Amino acid sequence: MNSSKDSLYASPIGEVGAFKFDETVVNVFPDMIQRSVPGYSAIISAIGLLAGRFAREHSVCYDLGCSLGAATLAMRHQIEAENCRIIAVDNSEAMLSRFQQTLQQDQAQVAVDVQCADIRDVAIENASVVVLNFTLQFIPLEDRLALLQKIYRGLLPGGILILSEKLKFDDERQQELQTQMHHAFKKAQGYSDLEISQKRTALENVLIPETFAQHQHRLREVGFSSAEVWFQYFNFASIIALK
Ligand code: GEK
């Protein structure tokens, strides 16, 4: 699949508009997420390993906000349970049409159903694994509780939710430091100060981070028996919540 280097914010933009998952983003997405989210590849691999362990026979694994399907593909290559299928959902047509092309080249056997929909409207049923890999952060704050309640209800007993998010911190110095270290990470990946600052503007009011305590509290509130961070690299973390 032809995918290019992300230079969307390399030149000065008069007025930086709100970030959208459109065709221009799709073309550079693998490079963008890799160079912007510290630990992204490690998280994708681990999602595959966790799905290998938690996927149950005759159940469904959901990848909510699947983008180009990296987590779906990692799961697809690790699931051994019989008659287990994956439902991958995103509301960006551009992302999904690229993902469909990738799927055609993939040889793994697990059935994948790709759905273009808002994850707030999708029924979650008979799930053994649910993945929200850097997706919840784009859902309006007021809709997050209902979405997680729906996921909890749709999970089988013993099921797992893998929730990866950009985090914020209550402590001001910690917030400042982790933000600066994330920017240092991006600079080390080849992004310029202009790219970093224009991207930051584009994501303002689009990507709304919460603290780990907020996530953990809400996950416990909806019924998960535990919710813990299994991976963190500066202000990017991945949480395992167990039903
Ligand atoms: C990965 N999980 O590579 N309904 C459906 N999709 C949505 C919604 C919504 N309401 N809001 C946002 N999206 C992927 C990476 S990217 C993360 C996830 C990032 C989708 C949006 O279209 C985009 O594809 C995805 O959520 C977020 O493991 O770009 O930082």
Side-chain angles (χ1 to χ4, degrees):
M1 222 50 55
N2 55 342
S3 144
S4 322
K5 188 170 153 79
D6 170 26
S7 57
L8 294 181
Y9 294 95
S11 313
I13 301 169
E15 200 168 322
V16 180
F19 190 81
K20 284 201 194 73
F21 292 98
D22 58 16
E23 191 66 45
T24 55
V25 168
V26 167
N27 290 330
V28 300
F29 190 75
D31 178 67
M32 169 187 285
I33 197 152
Q34 186 72 38
R35 293 199 291 132
S36 304
V37 176
Y40 174 75
S41 301
I43 294 171
I44 290 293
S45 306
I47 288 171
L49 297 178
L50 287 163
R53 176 169 173 137
F54 281 85
R56 292 277 157 268
E57 282 184 18
H58 303 287
S59 76
V60 185
C61 299
Y62 288 86
D63 182 4
L64 304 177
C66 62
S67 302
L68 301 182
T72 291
L73 292 171
M75 293 198 281
R76 195 179 194 213
H77 285 262
Q78 294 292 337
I79 293 172
E80 287 178 1
E82 299 285 323
N83 290 308
C84 180
R85 66 194 177 103
I86 302 174
I87 297 182
V89 184
D90 206 288
N91 63 356
S92 161
E93 294 262 10
M95 287 284 188
L96 294 184
S97 67
R98 180 65 62 93
F99 178 26
Q100 294 279 14
Q101 292 169 31
T102 311
L103 264 182
Q104 281 165 15
Q105 320 276 315
D106 185 66
Q107 302 298 319
Q109 296 300 307
V110 177
V112 179
D113 177 8
V114 178
Q115 299 181 4
C116 189
D118 190 308
I119 60 173
R120 291 169 291 183
D121 301 332
V122 166
I124 308 288
E125 285 160 345
N126 189 29
S128 51
V129 178
V130 176
V131 173
L132 276 170
N133 202 37
F134 301 107
T135 305
L136 189 67
Q137 60 196 16
F138 294 107
I139 301 298
L141 282 172
E142 62 272 22
D143 295 342
R144 293 183 188 183
L145 179 64
L147 173 60
L148 289 166
Q149 280 169 333
K150 175 176 73 175
I151 291 171
Y152 181 79
R153 282 195 299 266
L155 272 167
L156 297 164
I160 185 173
L161 165 67
I162 304 155
L163 171 65
S164 310
E165 290 275 292
K166 182 175 188 180
L167 294 182
K168 72 169 189 185
F169 301 86
D170 284 329
D171 181 81
E172 229 171 83
R173 281 173 64 213
Q174 196 71 239
Q175 175 64 29
E176 183 80 8
L177 172 65
Q178 303 265 4
T179 305
Q180 285 173 0
M181 293 317 296
H182 176 226
H183 291 173
F185 171 88
K186 291 188 71 164
K187 278 196 91 164
Q189 298 295 316
Y191 283 115
S192 68
D193 288 329
L194 178 68
E195 285 178 292
I196 294 170
S197 96
Q198 294 193 135
K199 176 73 176 288
R200 190 182 189 175
T201 306
L203 284 173
E204 210 143 329
N205 306 320
V206 176
L207 189 173
I208 316 277
E210 294 174 280
T211 63
F212 172 63
Q214 288 172 314
H215 285 296
Q216 190 178 43
H217 179 263
R218 188 171 43 219
L219 290 165
R220 297 301 308 272
E221 190 185 344
V222 306
F224 284 97
S225 67
S226 77
E228 297 295 345
V229 169
W230 69 269
F231 180 91
Q232 185 164 349
Y233 191 157
F234 299 139
N235 46 351
F236 290 79
S238 187
I239 297 164
I240 286 176
L242 297 173
K243 178 158 177 173

